[in-house]
Amino acid sequence: MNMKREDIRNIAIIAHVDHGKTTLVDELLKQSGVFRENQEVRERVMDSNDIERERGITILSKNTAVTYKDTKINIIDTPGHADFGGEVERVLKMVNGVVLLVDAFEGAMPQTKFVLMKALDLNLPVIVCINKIDREEERHEEVIDEVLELLMDLDASEEQLDCPFLFASAKDGWCVTDLAEEKKDMKPLFDTILSYIPAPEGDPDANTQVLISTIDYNEYVGRIGIGKVDNGCLKLNQEAIVVNHHDPEKNEKVRISKLYEFDGLDKVDVTEAKVGSIVAISGIADLHIGDTICGTDSDPVAIPFQKISEPTISMNFIVNDSPFAGTEGKYVTSRHIRDRLFKELNTDVSLRVEETESADSYKVSGRGELHLSVLIENMRREGYEFAVSKAEVLYKEDENGKKTEPMEIAYVDVPDEFTGSVIQKLSERKGELQNMSPIAGGYTRIEMKIPSRGLIGYRGEFLTDTKGNGILNTEFAGYEPYKGDIAYRETGSLIAFETGESVTYGLFSAQDRGTLFIGPGEKVYSGMVIGSCSRAEDIELNVCKKKHLTNTRSSSADEALTLTPPKELSLEQAIDYIDTDELLEVTPDSLRIRKRILDPLLRKRESYRKQQERQNRQ
């Protein structure tokens, strides 16, 4: 017989990037008394990963718990970027409701739609919280209409349409149900969660069922499975069976050697977990996302798991074989790279790693460029050295055997004066204009349907075209017939002609040919890309060339040569820039772009062939 656990609420906080999820969780933790009065607490305490803190985005979903009016509220902070949508999809199985956070100025954005659709599919009740209401340009009345329209577009039920709306400033630590109320704390949000989000329900006398929705990994205890107790009761040292709905052959006997629940930011050892509790389990070596841990009382029944969206983009991770290979990295062999990539599969369900015909190359597929660039950055910081190829989309064949490709809806918010150049650039990349409407502050919102490969390498160009004032968001729109060839890059590269150290004299004559990526005193080798050419062909230059000394001196001979500061590429910019015949060399200390072919004669032939292709396209 089913019973409700009234002393527990399980919620996920979902939103678009930078709408304030993690800041809101900070305030909920502070105001529930998780921290001591004199405890020093850093901002965005849930963003524990270095890259998350630097970029100001949440990458991994994380669990925490607070207590309010003797009720334990388990909170899951989820990522807001579409590339990490796999993290959101799976954790929604653990919760009984969601808090949808929407920016009071930006309104409902593409990722808001994606995560909300997943929540509605699972019939979860929604609390809408309009955040950043203290912004001068806030437009909460229009945003409420946008959210209601979005709910109707997604076929929300009557109950879901009748959801409560709250107004908050997470930064200032207050939330209200009506803007006329006194703005002092987060109690209205806590009270709404207790009254509107249903308590977890299950049969305490039935056979135990715990669906594993998240995997954490720890060097000391190994894999840690996190999930909700749906039925029965889970006890320490209990014998259990691991089964999987999508893998009928899986039937493994295990023992629960460690059992934790969440309290604030900590995991606390418990001896027993009842229906509705979110628990962490360690000590089971072969535990995966989507597995169900069942008791041994009767036949185990696996719980169906949310199907995770497939990857749409891939890159090859290759052992670095450049002339500088092994000089900066700690882990450089194919075995090191292979082990690290397969270890990542322990925690990232959206990632795919495949071995290729070459023992030194692995095909890694993910949800987007950001998804893969975060993996590359993590590996780089851990001391790995390797090379990566240009990102490519994953094609499929339809029922008729025709080639199809992934499509995206690009939502672009740009100042009015830049709309023409943005539409032109996206149209050249096979984009089709779907909608265009003015929004507040002299901005226009453009919606374009475009092949995923049309967006590869475009973000840097987009920021230049809009002088850094544009916002580009995308939403996966399924597979459609192949749209034809797209020219990734119309300009060639400046390539180092010989190995050595760059000098001012050589760089001074080279800078007239294009934009340099390096300054003086940097080590270069033959075949290394040192800049972007202003023309369509690749040009080889000798940047190690020194000025010949003579006995005669002219009046201008000793004048200092002035160099334009080099354009130093970030990891994302370098991934965007490389062409199909180039590789990005990644080490803990450096990012270098080089030609795949290092032999000068073969390189010239390849450059001529590329030049002919460009001319034919024009």
Side-chain angles (χ1 to χ4, degrees):
M1 181 179 155
N2 277 10
M3 62 157 272
K4 286 191 174 185
R5 281 281 306 274
E6 291 294 346
D7 60 335
I8 284 184
R9 296 291 187 277
N10 297 323
I11 63 160
I13 297 184
I14 58 176
H16 188 79
V17 181
D18 201 29
H19 281 197
K21 292 180 304 301
T22 309
T23 308
L24 183 76
V25 175
D26 276 2
E27 280 305 315
L28 295 178
L29 287 167
K30 285 175 190 170
Q31 295 189 26
S32 64
V34 166
F35 307 120
R36 298 189 315 273
E37 280 188 28
N38 62 343
Q39 186 173 342
E40 187 180 335
V41 183
R42 64 184 183 182
E43 283 186 13
R44 303 199 324 275
V45 69
M46 292 293 282
D47 283 346
S48 51
N49 181 313
D50 284 345
I51 297 177
E52 290 181 319
R53 298 194 65 75
E54 287 166 23
R55 301 187 184 206
I57 60 170
T58 302
I59 293 169
L60 305 167
S61 62
K62 300 176 197 70
N63 295 63
T64 187
V66 301
T67 302
Y68 178 74
K69 291 185 178 176
D70 299 324
T71 302
K72 184 177 186 180
I73 303 174
N74 286 305
I75 302 170
I76 304 174
D77 182 20
T78 63
H81 197 285
D83 283 17
F84 308 108
E87 292 277 325
V88 184
E89 289 176 68
R90 61 176 194 244
V91 301
L92 292 178
K93 289 289 273 188
M94 281 195 280
V95 299
N96 303 99
V98 296
V99 176
L100 175 70
L101 213 61
V102 184
D103 189 294
F105 169 65
E106 292 184 1
M109 299 290 274
Q111 184 66 1
T112 316
K113 181 179 177 182
F114 173 82
V115 291
L116 185 59
M117 179 173 64
K118 299 294 178 188
L120 296 179
D121 287 347
L122 294 169
N123 290 318
L124 296 174
V126 180
I127 295 171
V128 181
C129 183
I130 304 212
N131 191 29
K132 303 189 184 181
I133 203 79
D134 53 327
R135 288 180 69 166
E136 282 182 25
E137 63 271 48
E138 69 86 12
R139 47 184 192 96
H140 67 272
E141 290 180 359
E142 293 165 50
V143 171
I144 290 171
D145 292 340
E146 284 178 22
V147 173
L148 288 171
E149 279 176 28
L150 183 58
L151 285 165
M152 287 187 280
D153 288 346
L154 297 174
D155 295 325
S157 64
E158 288 292 327
E159 294 80 15
Q160 287 166 329
L161 278 169
D162 199 23
C163 59
F165 278 80
L166 299 168
F167 308 96
S169 169
K171 187 178 72 171
D172 295 334
W174 57 263
C175 176
V176 291
T177 53
D178 189 318
L179 286 171
E181 292 174 18
E182 186 186 355
K183 304 171 178 68
K184 57 180 181 177
D185 54 30
M186 285 287 174
K187 280 186 180 174
L189 179 55
F190 280 125
D191 290 331
T192 308
I193 289 169
L194 295 194
S195 61
Y196 190 74
I197 302 295
E201 208 173 314
D203 187 348
D205 302 318
N207 192 26
T208 305
Q209 281 182 307
V210 182
L211 175 67
I212 300 300
S213 300
T214 303
I215 291 284
D216 202 353
Y217 189 80
N218 185 299
E219 291 292 342
Y220 301 104
V221 298
R223 297 167 82 81
I224 301 170
I226 299 170
K228 185 178 78 175
V229 181
D230 280 274
N231 287 304
C233 176
L234 200 61
K235 294 180 181 176
L236 194 63
N237 296 321
Q238 171 186 338
E239 284 199 345
I241 296 171
V242 178
V243 290
N244 191 299
H245 179 77
H246 303 289
D247 182 7
E249 293 180 13
K250 186 159 189 173
N251 193 310
E252 185 185 341
K253 277 200 168 184
V254 296
R255 183 179 289 277
I256 308 299
S257 60
K258 273 281 188 184
L259 193 60
Y260 315 91
E261 283 189 11
F262 294 91
D263 183 20
L265 300 175
D266 304 317
K267 292 190 190 84
V268 181
D269 285 283
V270 293
T271 55
E272 184 180 65
K274 296 177 181 174
V275 167
S277 296
I278 291 180
V279 294
I281 303 151
S282 65
I284 303 173
D286 192 31
L287 193 62
H288 293 89
I289 287 165
D291 286 348
T292 306
I293 297 175
C294 299
T296 53
D297 307 345
S298 59
D299 285 339
V301 178
I303 299 172
F305 187 60
Q306 181 85 8
K307 189 178 183 298
I308 301 297
S309 302
E310 292 291 312
T312 56
I313 207 165
S314 73
M315 296 170 101
N316 286 334
F317 282 51
I318 305 161
V319 173
N320 186 20
D321 60 354
S322 80
F324 293 167
T327 56
E328 295 173 2
K330 187 177 175 185
Y331 307 109
V332 297
T333 65
S334 60
R335 180 178 62 83
H336 283 134
I337 295 167
R338 181 188 186 281
D339 290 350
R340 177 62 182 83
L341 290 173
F342 279 96
K343 179 185 166 188
E344 189 68 19
L345 297 178
N346 287 337
T347 53
D348 192 341
V349 288
S350 302
L351 199 71
R352 300 280 183 277
V353 179
E354 301 165 56
E355 295 184 351
T356 62
E357 293 174 3
S358 166
D360 293 340
S361 177
Y362 301 92
K363 183 181 179 182
V364 181
S365 308
R367 292 284 290 269
E369 283 178 284
L370 181 63
H371 186 193
L372 295 178
S373 75
V374 167
L375 170 62
I376 293 168
E377 183 64 38
N378 276 324
M379 289 177 65
R380 181 187 182 197
R381 292 181 185 205
E382 291 164 20
Y384 287 84
E385 180 180 316
F386 53 98
V388 295
S389 66
K390 182 164 187 67
E392 294 178 352
V393 299
L394 298 170
Y395 299 105
K396 288 184 179 179
E397 285 190 356
D398 61 13
E399 308 84 53
N400 305 320
K402 289 188 176 177
K403 186 177 179 182
T404 63
E405 64 175 328
M407 300 292 289
E408 308 267 348
I409 300 286
Y411 297 86
V412 190
D413 292 354
V414 288
D416 297 341
E417 67 263 31
F418 302 126
T419 51
S421 63
V422 169
I423 291 171
Q424 182 191 343
K425 289 277 176 74
L426 289 174
S427 300
E428 287 169 3
R429 291 166 174 261
K430 308 293 180 185
E432 298 169 10
L433 186 65
Q434 304 278 303
N435 198 2
M436 184 172 163
S437 57
I439 54 175
Y443 274 67
T444 300
R445 178 165 292 174
I446 302 164
E447 284 179 38
M448 291 193 86
K449 187 178 252 189
I450 185 169
S452 296
R453 63 196 165 97
L455 292 168
I456 294 174
Y458 174 65
R459 286 181 192 271
E461 207 176 307
F462 170 72
L463 288 174
T464 305
D465 290 346
T466 60
K467 297 184 179 175
N469 293 311
I471 300 169
L472 172 63
N473 292 293
T474 58
E475 176 194 345
F476 179 60
Y479 275 75
E480 289 188 9
Y482 182 69
K483 303 291 180 186
D485 293 341
I486 296 174
Y488 281 122
R489 208 174 77 203
E490 291 300 329
T491 58
S493 296
L494 301 177
I495 304 163
F497 178 68
E498 67 174 22
T499 303
E501 196 172 286
S502 60
V503 294
T504 305
Y505 183 72
L507 291 170
F508 183 73
S509 54
Q511 69 181 5
D512 295 335
R513 303 294 188 95
T515 306
L516 292 176
F517 298 155
I518 64 165
E522 293 190 37
K523 290 181 179 177
V524 298
Y525 54 81
S526 175
M528 179 173 151
V529 174
I530 54 159
S532 169
C533 184
S534 55
R535 295 163 68 181
E537 72 265 26
D538 294 338
I539 297 177
E540 301 211 2
L541 302 162
N542 187 357
V543 290
C544 306
K545 182 172 67 177
K546 293 180 181 175
K547 186 177 182 183
H548 292 294
L549 298 175
T550 62
N551 292 330
T552 57
R553 295 173 67 186
S554 66
S555 59
S556 61
D558 294 325
E559 282 180 12
L561 299 175
T562 307
L563 289 179
T564 307
K567 180 183 179 182
E568 293 185 13
L569 299 180
S570 66
L571 177 61
E572 272 83 16
Q573 287 172 327
I575 290 170
D576 277 353
Y577 177 79
I578 57 174
D579 211 336
T580 47
D581 64 339
E582 293 167 347
L583 294 174
L584 173 62
E585 189 181 327
V586 180
T587 79
D589 302 327
S590 313
L591 294 170
R592 302 185 188 96
I593 298 170
R594 68 173 177 87
K595 289 291 175 181
R596 280 180 181 266
I597 301 166
L598 291 175
D599 182 285
L601 188 62
L602 293 174
R603 205 163 58 230
K604 277 186 179 173
R605 288 179 187 165
E606 179 65 19
S607 175
Y608 179 73
R609 186 189 64 76
K610 260 179 66 181
Q611 198 177 333
Q612 292 296 109
E613 276 183 7
R614 284 190 180 120
Q615 285 173 355
N616 291 340
R617 279 201 299 267
Q618 288 166 1

